[in-house]
Amino acid sequence: MGSLGAVLRHPDDLYPLLKLKMASRQAEKQIPPEPHWAFCYSMLHKVSRSFALVIQQLGTDLRNAVCIFYLVLRALDTVEDDTSIPTDVKVPILIAFHRHVYDREWHFSCGTKEYKVLMDQFHHVSTAFLELGKGYQDAIEDITKRMGAGMAKFICKEVELIDDYDEYCYYVAGLVGLGLSKLFYASGTEDLAPDSLSNSMGLFLQKTNIIRDYLEDINEIPKCRMFWPREIWSKYVNKLEDLKYVENSDKAAQCLNDMVTNALMHVEDCLKYMSALRDHAIFRFCAIPQIMAIGTLALCYNNIEVFRGVVKMRRGLTAKVIDRTNNMTDVYLAFYDFSNILKPKINKNDPNAKKTLSRVEAIQKACMDSGVLNKRKSYIIQSELRCSSTMIVIVFIILAIIFSYLSST
C-alpha cells in the first residue's frame, strides 16, 4: 500500500490507496469457478495486479477476451525473454505459437516463478481461448501470429537503427494496440481505430518500459537482451553497458534524454486515440496505462537513477491515477501536469534540448486546445503538504485501524 513515509509526506494518498486495496480484494473474489477460467484470472493477478484490476471493469465477454489475449502474449513474451532457450528451439516456437493456442495439450517449460507456472499449465489458457467467440479468436490468432514472427526476426537481429527500434516495438507492442482495437470492435462497443493510432498507443508504453528497465535488462543472466538502438546510444558511449558506470553519468543522462524525447513523439496520437473512445470502461482501461507512462517518463528524464536502480511513480500517485481517471478532461490534465514536471528539467546544454522542448510544448498545446484545463484542480502538481504532528498521529491511528481490520478479515 505504499511506504509509510510516502503516506506521511502525501497524506492525501491514503484514501486512493485504501480504495485500490479494497478494489483489488474485490477483484480477487470475482474469479470464476471453472478451473480453466479460475487459473487464467488467478494468473492474471499474479503477473499484473494493476492490469487485472482495470480489466475487471470491462463487460464479461470482452473481459474474458482481453484476459486471454494478455496471457497468450505474456506466454509468447516468456519464450522470447528466456535467454536460456537455444535459438534453434526458440524461433520455431515463436513462429508456431498462434497454432498452439488451439491445442489443449500443448505446454512448454520455460521462464521462472509465476511465468513458469503459466507455461507449464498453458492448457488452461487454450481451453479458455476455445470458449471465446470466433471474432475474438480470430483477432487473437492474427496478432499472435504476426507478433511471433516479428519476435523471431529480432532474435537474430540487433536493434541498430531507430527504424529497427520502431519495428521491434511495433511487433511486441504496436500489435497489442492493434489487437485490442480489434477486440473492442468485435465487442460492438467501439469503432475500429486507425492502425497508426493503435500502433502509437502500444509504442508509447513499450518505449517507456524499455527506458525504465535499462538496468534490469542489461544485468539479465545468462545474457542480456537490449533494445536501445545503437543509432542513439553510440552517440554517447562505445558500449551500451558503459551507460551504467558512474564516470559516464553526464553522457548517460544525455542518452537517456534522447530516448525519452523519441518516446514523446507518440503522445499526440495517443490523445487522439483516447478522445475517440465511447465506452467508459474501455476508456479507463486504455487511459490509465498511458497516464502512468507519461508520469514515468517525467520521472526518468535527466534522472541518472535509471542507471542505478528502479525509477517509478510512488504507489499513492498510481492509486490516484487509477481512482481519478474517468474522462478526457482527466487525461488532458494529467498529461499537461506531467509535461510540466518534465519541462523544467530540460537543460539548454543538452544536445536534444530544442527537440525535447518542442515535443513537450506540442503536448501542452494539444492539452490546452482541448479547453478543459481550467475546469479542475491538479492532483499531480501541488505544493508539498507540511505534516503537523497532529496529522501524523491521525494517519498512524487510521493505518492501525485499517491493518487491524484487514488482519481480522
Side-chain angles (χ1 to χ4, degrees):
M1 290 181 65
S3 70
L4 179 59
V7 173
L8 291 175
R9 289 192 299 273
H10 305 275
D12 56 326
D13 286 356
L14 184 58
Y15 179 62
L17 280 167
L18 289 175
K19 288 186 68 175
L20 181 62
K21 185 68 175 178
M22 300 307 290
S24 179
R25 291 200 166 203
Q26 185 63 29
E28 290 173 2
K29 292 178 182 178
Q30 294 176 347
I31 292 175
E34 298 86 353
H36 51 290
W37 284 110
F39 173 84
C40 291
Y41 277 98
S42 296
M43 188 54 57
L44 188 66
H45 282 279
K46 291 176 182 176
V47 298
S48 181
R49 188 173 295 273
S50 58
F51 183 84
L53 181 62
V54 178
I55 198 180
Q56 289 293 337
Q57 301 173 56
L58 299 173
T60 303
D61 289 346
L62 180 58
R63 180 174 69 239
N64 288 341
V66 173
C67 173
I68 299 308
F69 184 49
Y70 183 90
L71 291 179
V72 168
L73 298 189
R74 177 59 70 183
L76 184 65
D77 188 59
T78 300
V79 175
E80 186 212 19
D81 281 349
D82 192 331
T83 54
S84 68
I85 304 173
T87 299
D88 61 339
V89 175
K90 180 182 292 188
V91 169
I93 294 174
L94 294 174
I95 292 174
F97 208 91
H98 66 286
R99 293 196 293 270
H100 296 321
V101 297
Y102 288 95
D103 184 354
R104 296 176 191 267
E105 305 300 322
W106 186 87
H107 63 89
F108 181 76
S109 185
C110 65
T112 59
K113 300 178 181 178
E114 60 268 17
Y115 300 106
K116 186 177 187 306
V117 176
L118 172 63
M119 297 305 299
D120 287 342
Q121 300 187 47
F122 192 77
H123 63 279
H124 288 306
V125 180
S126 298
T127 301
F129 169 81
L130 292 170
E131 293 182 2
L132 299 176
K134 190 174 187 308
Y136 292 135
Q137 288 182 358
D138 290 346
I140 293 172
E141 179 189 1
D142 174 57
I143 296 302
T144 304
K145 180 179 180 179
R146 293 158 69 183
M147 185 179 294
M151 286 178 169
K153 177 179 180 178
F154 276 90
I155 292 296
C156 309
K157 178 181 178 179
E158 294 292 324
V159 179
E160 298 282 347
L161 305 175
I162 293 174
D163 285 347
D164 297 333
Y165 181 47
D166 286 339
E167 184 183 11
Y168 172 76
C169 290
Y170 163 75
Y171 284 131
V172 301
L175 283 172
V176 178
L178 269 67
L180 287 171
S181 293
K182 287 187 175 187
L183 295 180
F184 299 156
Y185 178 69
S187 74
T189 53
E190 299 289 350
D191 295 329
L192 186 59
D195 285 357
S196 60
L197 300 187
S198 300
N199 183 48
S200 286
M201 288 284 284
L203 262 63
F204 186 56
L205 299 182
Q206 182 66 20
K207 289 183 176 182
T208 299
N209 291 340
I210 287 173
I211 292 166
R212 181 199 62 198
D213 294 341
Y214 167 88
L215 191 64
E216 178 184 342
D217 291 342
I218 201 77
N219 291 333
E220 188 168 337
I221 296 173
K223 60 181 179 179
C224 70
R225 291 196 65 220
M226 296 298 295
F227 302 101
W228 289 42
R230 181 184 294 271
E231 185 178 347
I232 290 180
W233 62 257
S234 63
K235 292 186 288 185
Y236 307 98
V237 288
N238 294 322
K239 295 184 293 184
L240 184 54
E241 57 264 34
D242 292 345
L243 294 172
K244 66 181 180 178
Y245 301 128
V246 175
E247 60 268 26
N248 297 322
S249 293
D250 289 344
K251 290 295 185 181
Q254 292 174 359
C255 182
L256 171 63
N257 296 344
D258 203 340
M259 290 288 289
V260 172
T261 301
N262 174 275
L264 292 175
M265 68 187 292
H266 302 292
V267 170
E268 290 171 88
D269 275 356
C270 294
L271 293 174
K272 289 177 185 176
Y273 181 100
M274 290 183 283
S275 67
L277 295 172
R278 298 191 301 263
D279 183 86
H280 181 252
I282 291 175
F283 173 81
R284 278 177 49 78
F285 173 80
C286 294
I288 290 170
Q290 297 293 327
I291 293 175
M292 298 292 293
I294 188 67
T296 300
L297 290 181
L299 291 176
C300 288
Y301 185 84
N302 210 38
N303 186 352
I304 203 66
E305 287 304 310
V306 169
F307 305 102
R308 309 283 184 266
V310 179
V311 175
K312 61 182 181 179
M313 288 169 53
R314 72 178 191 274
R315 184 69 170 163
L317 185 51
T318 298
K320 283 182 178 177
V321 170
I322 294 173
D323 182 46
R324 302 182 186 183
T325 301
N326 289 295
N327 51 51
M328 276 307 294
T329 297
D330 301 324
V331 171
Y332 285 128
L333 281 166
F335 271 79
Y336 186 82
D337 286 346
F338 279 122
S339 62
N340 263 337
I341 290 174
L342 192 157
K343 192 173 182 179
K345 296 165 70 175
I346 300 173
N347 185 329
K348 65 180 181 180
N349 295 319
D350 186 275
N352 294 282
K354 289 184 179 179
K355 185 187 291 186
T356 309
L357 184 61
S358 173
R359 290 191 176 161
V360 169
E361 289 180 341
I363 294 168
Q364 293 185 322
K365 183 178 186 302
C367 295
M368 288 187 289
D369 287 349
S370 70
V372 301
L373 294 188
N374 60 348
K375 293 185 177 181
R376 200 167 303 166
K377 291 178 63 177
S378 167
Y379 63 87
I380 294 168
I381 298 179
Q382 55 187 332
S383 59
E384 287 289 323
L385 296 175
R386 295 184 177 179
C387 298
S388 66
S389 57
T390 303
M391 175 65 77
I392 292 174
V393 170
I394 291 172
V395 170
F396 267 117
I397 291 172
I398 293 173
L399 287 173
I401 294 171
I402 293 165
F403 284 120
S404 296
Y405 170 76
L406 293 177
S407 298
S408 65
T409 56

